Amino acid sequence: MADVPFDPSIIGTSRNGGTLLVTRDRLRLFAKATGQTDPVFIDLDAATKAGHRDLPVPPTFFFAVSLEAPDPFDYLADLGVDLRAILHGEQAFVYHRVACAGDELSTRATITDTYSKKGGALNFLVTETVVTNQDGAVVATLTETLVQRQIQEVNA
């Protein structure tokens, strides 16, 4: 697979991502894995006392929803990308409303930009992912930048 700039015609291309029923156990595991110390993310009493209807989703959890698709990186293969050449460049989140345990979250991603730097040695792919709940309300918007770097093949 060649390391070439992304074709600008892919801008605007959308795909459905994963769907995830958010459970308390999953939220507690995520909170532990990410070092959350606020009891609102692990203790139901603390969450309800803080005004939440259940355990709230920790801030960066929304990224995990996209990974629930059967093959979350198949679109990169469709673009001819060698996954060994991909780096995670940047991630940003905009929160629109609180999601809690019991919500079913779904994602839809759209490629919003492509560009190159260093004479094509680094090719960038920017994607905006909208996370909605079971009612269709937008919960969060994620912007992710992936970097495709040139890889050197080593002949043994």
Side-chain angles (χ1 to χ4, degrees), residues 52-126:
H52 301 290
R53 60 184 155 77
D54 210 305
L55 294 180
V57 170
T60 59
F61 182 85
F62 297 107
F63 179 74
V65 179
S66 294
L67 300 176
E68 291 297 315
D71 187 353
F73 303 109
D74 62 345
Y75 76 101
L76 292 172
D78 292 346
L79 295 174
V81 173
D82 183 339
L83 289 179
R84 298 176 301 161
I86 290 293
L87 301 171
H88 186 268
E90 184 175 43
Q91 186 85 44
F93 299 84
V94 175
Y95 304 102
H96 304 283
R97 60 181 31 87
V98 175
C100 293
D103 286 345
E104 184 173 58
L105 303 177
S106 299
T107 63
R108 181 159 182 82
T110 302
I111 297 172
T112 59
D113 198 9
T114 67
Y115 57 95
S116 296
K117 291 186 177 182
K118 302 214 178 240
L122 299 173
N123 301 304
F124 295 79
L125 182 68
V126 183

